[in-house]
């Protein structure tokens, strides 16, 4: 999996991605992430990439040409077409299913919006997926891209040590994950549930299922409704 991130803040994207598990996966050559600065593709001597919106209104818009040139540069590097994910609060809300879908791709291009948005004409030409990470507004698309790249990365085989940790967790089976415990067996007067100490594998699996269901019912009943 090769990620390309079109952004005005490459340092922000590089710093966050080159940390912890995604860093190790990059070092091991399982994934890669290239942040490309849209400003490097400005077509004027001041390197400006924004302008006032036609029709008036507050704020500035990113111009079409630098974004398009940046995209063409990345496309040239990849040597073929790739999905272009535009991070925008007007997009479809990201979820685990979308993450699994994106994880099947070999290359993914993220386009981070800034200012008040991007000229619609370039979006029409290059964007394949408009995606939001939730019903709230961020100052820019970088954090949204990072959230998605992180979630997609951990589904790429070899990124996590243990494949099962990707399989039986919250959202992957339509339920939230059950509570978990480690040593000591008693902490602040609270004991680990008896069944987990029983060694009875079948009973433990049943307990996991029940607890997942209970937790989902309590915290995210909407997930159970969507199931029907
Ligand atoms: N840019 C600003 N807000 C966003 C959001 N909620 N999701 C994705 N990109 C965004």
């Amino acid at each position: 999996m090769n990620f390309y991130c079109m952004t005005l803040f490459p340092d922000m994207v590089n710093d966050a991605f080159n940390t912890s598990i995604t860093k190790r996966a990059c070092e091991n050559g399982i994934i890669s992430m290239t942040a490309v600065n849209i400003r490097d593709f400005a077509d004027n001597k001041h390197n400006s990439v924004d302008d006032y919106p036609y029709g008036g209104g507050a704020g500035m818009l990113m111009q079409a040409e630098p974004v398009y040139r940046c995209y063409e540069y990345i496309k040239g590097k990849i040597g073929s077409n790739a999905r272009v994910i535009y991070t925008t609060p007007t997009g479809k809300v990201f979820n685990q299913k979308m993450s699994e879908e994106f994880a099947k791709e070999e290359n993914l291009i993220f386009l981070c919006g800034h200012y008040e948005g991007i000229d619609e004409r370039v979006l029409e030409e290059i964007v394949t997926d408009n995606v939001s990470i939730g019903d709230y507004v961020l100052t820019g698309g970088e954090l949204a891209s990072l959230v998605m790249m992180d979630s997609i990365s951990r589904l790429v085989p070899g990124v996590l040590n243990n494949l099962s940790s990707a399989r039986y967790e919250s959202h992957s089976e339509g339920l939230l994950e059950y509570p978990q415990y480690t040593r000591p067996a008693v902490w602040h007067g609270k004991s680990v549930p008896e069944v987990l100490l029983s060694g009875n594998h079948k009973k433990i699996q049943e307990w996991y299922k029940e607890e997942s269901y209970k937790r989902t019912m309590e915290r995210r009943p909407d997930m159970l409704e969507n199931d029907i």
Side-chain angles (χ1 to χ4, degrees):
M1 167 65 76
N2 303 302
F3 296 109
Y4 296 86
C5 192
M6 301 165 67
T7 172
L8 288 174
F9 301 97
D11 290 350
M12 177 178 179
V13 180
N14 279 323
D15 286 353
F17 205 78
N18 291 324
T19 305
S20 186
I21 291 173
T22 45
K23 177 185 182 184
R24 193 187 59 207
C26 288
E27 285 169 355
N28 292 340
I30 303 166
I31 58 173
S32 74
M33 197 284 293
T34 311
V36 185
N37 195 341
I38 297 168
R39 200 176 295 286
D40 291 345
F41 301 86
D43 54 1
N44 57 77
K45 64 174 188 282
H46 303 291
N47 278 349
S48 79
V49 292
D50 61 329
D51 210 331
Y52 296 100
Y54 280 113
M60 304 285 269
L61 287 183
M62 249 154 91
Q63 293 169 293
E65 187 59 18
V67 174
Y68 189 70
R69 286 191 191 175
C70 183
Y71 165 73
E72 287 280 288
Y73 166 79
I74 294 169
K75 209 172 109 178
K77 283 203 150 225
I78 296 173
S80 66
N81 280 333
R83 282 168 94 161
V84 177
I85 302 164
Y86 176 45
T87 56
T88 167
T90 65
K92 198 171 159 192
V93 178
F94 188 65
N95 61 25
Q96 191 66 22
K97 205 163 157 233
M98 287 162 82
S99 193
E100 284 162 14
E101 202 51 44
F102 287 137
K104 293 179 193 157
E105 302 286 329
E106 203 175 315
N107 299 290
L108 283 174
I109 304 172
F110 284 84
L111 170 58
C112 305
H114 247 273
Y115 307 115
E116 300 303 310
I118 301 180
D119 190 307
E120 190 67 23
R121 293 167 294 185
V122 68
L123 299 177
E124 280 170 12
E125 285 204 17
I126 70 170
V127 173
T128 57
D129 301 85
N130 291 282
V131 189
S132 165
I133 60 160
D135 291 338
Y136 43 82
V137 182
L138 305 166
T139 57
E142 282 73 16
L143 287 170
S145 293
L146 283 162
V147 163
M148 288 189 247
M149 290 193 291
D150 186 287
S151 167
I152 296 163
S153 294
R154 62 192 294 291
L155 297 174
V156 175
V159 169
L160 297 183
N161 300 329
N162 183 352
L163 254 186
S164 70
S165 62
R167 206 170 303 143
Y168 299 110
E169 70 211 342
S170 294
H171 295 284
S172 64
E173 307 263 329
L175 292 175
L176 299 181
E177 196 171 50
Y178 46 81
Q180 299 182 93
Y181 305 85
T182 184
R183 287 195 289 183
V186 182
W187 181 81
H188 279 202
K190 293 175 177 168
S191 300
V192 169
E194 197 70 40
V195 60
L196 300 181
L197 311 173
S198 71
N200 185 330
H201 193 66
K202 192 164 167 270
K203 271 203 166 142
I204 292 173
Q205 292 302 319
E206 282 168 10
W207 185 86
Y208 286 162
K209 259 198 195 139
E210 273 167 33
E211 290 298 314
S212 276
Y213 187 80
K214 265 205 299 208
R215 176 163 279 185
T216 310
M217 191 73 156
E218 242 173 64
R219 299 184 183 176
R220 291 290 307 276
D222 57 299
M223 284 172 68
L224 299 172
E225 283 158 23
N226 291 345
D227 231 25
I228 300 165

